[in-house]
């Protein structure tokens, strides 16, 4: 097994995503950013978002 494949097995290759809901328009979406100051709603471009737990 190649070194890169072994590292992927150890560390994991999937990037984590976080679920958010836009307070302005109600859209539910995912973002790779955990820092809320970097999250923007893809529907209305609003920045007032909250964590969403389905």
């Amino acid at each position: 097994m190649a070194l890169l494949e072994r590292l992927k097995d150890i560390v994991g290759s999937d990037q984590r995503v976080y679920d958010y809901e836009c307070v302005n328009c109600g859209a539910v979406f995912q973002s790779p950013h955990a820092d809320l100051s970097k999250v923007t709603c893809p529907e209305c471009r609003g920045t007032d978002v909250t964590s969403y737990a389905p």
Side-chain angles (χ1 to χ4, degrees), residues 19 28 52-54:
D19 296 317
V28 175
Y52 177 79

Side-chain angles (χ1 to χ4, degrees), residues 20-36:
Y20 295 104
E21 182 174 17
C22 179
V23 174
N24 187 44
C25 73
V28 175
F29 60 95
Q30 292 183 328
S31 173
H33 300 292
D35 182 359
L36 284 175

Side-chain angles (χ1 to χ4, degrees), residues 39-54:
V39 178
T40 302
C41 174
E43 297 292 322
C44 72
R45 309 306 298 166
T47 56
D48 191 7
V49 298
T50 60
S51 295
Y52 177 79

